[in-house]
Amino acid sequence: GFDEIAIDVATHYAAEDADVTLQLHQSMWPSLKENDGLRFIYEKIEIPTSIVLQKMERNGVLIDVNKLNVQSRELGVKMDSLQENAYVTAGQPFNLNSPKQLGELLFDKMIKKTPSGAPSTSEEVLEKLAEDFPLPKIILDYRGMSKLKTTYTDKLPRMVNPETGRVHTNYAQAVAVTGRLASNDPNLQNIPIRSEEGRRIREAFIASPGNKIISADYSQIELRIMAHLS
């Protein structure tokens, strides 16, 4: 039946993963065990850390879905307002999400100066143009709101596990060459903080009843380590 097939498939892939893991061990362990420094990092830091990360992933993060839904609607209203403002400023309607239409509008009709190569509507270019023209600033604000809405206020509620009521990210400890953690699906290490709207999204990350969220951070840790080592 279907259950037996599912078990066979799961067993097959588990065996494949185990085989690959064994091959990696046989290839890397001889070099690792001969290096006291690497062996210390592996046995005393990386392995214990993996256990902590597994607990963090399993526990997940509690978010206020209702608050995110309210913020999503408010962002949508602000985006509509910015879009209307962009139409008035440009003197015509256009697709704010189309780099081609925006480039033609900016460089052919408003600025009337074609840059060398294909007209760019990158954030860097728009920030420079915003010093002299109003439309680029509106586009930048619109893009910022759109990113918050699609990446966070719309997406995070859909990623809540129905069984736990929490968002469960994946923490990768061996991806970044600097040794920092990487978070994905979703990336919970990249929640906005620079804009007012971005900071409001952080308010949706809440503690369960009887608990508190505590924030702690090293101050200038890289610079202090450099000073110590030198």
Side-chain angles (χ1 to χ4, degrees):
F2 179 79
D3 290 341
E4 287 78 9
I5 294 174
I7 292 173
D8 287 343
V9 170
T11 303
H12 170 75
Y13 282 107
E16 277 194 349
D17 289 344
D19 184 52
V20 171
T21 302
L22 178 60
Q23 291 180 46
L24 287 171
H25 170 78
Q26 293 172 338
S27 173
M28 301 177 71
W29 178 247
S31 300
L32 186 63
K33 71 178 182 179
E34 298 299 326
N35 188 313
D36 291 339
L38 288 178
R39 185 168 179 173
F40 175 85
I41 292 173
Y42 176 71
E43 294 182 337
K44 302 300 182 182
I45 298 177
E46 296 293 352
I47 295 300
T49 298
S50 69
I51 298 172
V52 174
L53 295 179
Q54 185 271 334
K55 291 180 180 179
M56 291 169 60
E57 292 178 358
R58 183 188 62 197
N59 290 340
V61 178
L62 188 62
I63 64 172
D64 188 333
V65 172
N66 291 331
K67 181 170 288 189
L68 285 177
N69 288 335
V70 170
Q71 291 179 5
S72 188
R73 288 192 294 270
E74 292 176 349
L75 285 170
V77 171
K78 291 179 180 179
M79 288 172 63
D80 288 342
S81 177
L82 285 169
Q83 179 173 275
E84 290 300 320
N85 193 6
Y87 291 169
V88 172
T89 304
Q92 66 180 72
F94 65 99
N95 185 354
L96 274 68
N97 296 308
S98 169
K100 183 176 184 296
Q101 289 188 28
L102 179 59
E104 292 173 351
L105 187 64
L106 282 174
F107 297 107
D108 295 343
K109 296 183 179 180
M110 299 190 68
I111 301 175
K112 295 182 179 178
K113 179 182 178 182
T114 304
S116 57
S120 172
T121 59
S122 67
E123 183 175 346
E124 183 180 1
V125 171
L126 291 180
E127 286 178 348
K128 184 65 177 175
L129 293 175
E131 297 175 3
D132 301 307
F133 301 93
L135 184 59
K137 176 65 168 61
I138 298 173
I139 300 299
L140 286 170
D141 290 342
Y142 180 89
R143 286 183 179 178
M145 300 272 184
S146 178
K147 175 69 181 295
L148 293 177
K149 190 174 188 302
T150 57
T151 307
Y152 302 106
T153 61
D154 286 354
K155 187 176 181 180
L156 284 176
R158 296 198 300 267
M159 303 191 79
V160 172
N161 186 302
E163 295 183 6
T164 66
R166 291 167 174 256
V167 172
H168 299 267
T169 185
N170 172 65
Y171 290 108
Q173 67 186 104
V175 172
V177 295
T178 58
R180 285 175 175 262
L181 287 177
S183 169
N184 58 76
D185 196 29
N187 184 356
L188 294 183
Q189 295 185 161
N190 195 35
I191 306 302
I193 195 173
R194 293 182 180 178
S195 66
E196 181 180 349
E197 289 81 6
R199 288 190 292 272
R200 289 183 62 211
I201 292 174
R202 293 192 168 214
E203 296 174 3
F205 290 81
I206 58 176
S208 55
N211 294 276
K212 292 184 177 181
I213 293 179
I214 297 176
S215 174
D217 192 10
Y218 285 112
S219 176
Q220 301 288 322
I221 185 63
E222 287 91 352
L223 187 63
R224 293 171 191 270
I225 290 176
M226 286 175 62
H228 172 76
L229 294 176
S230 63

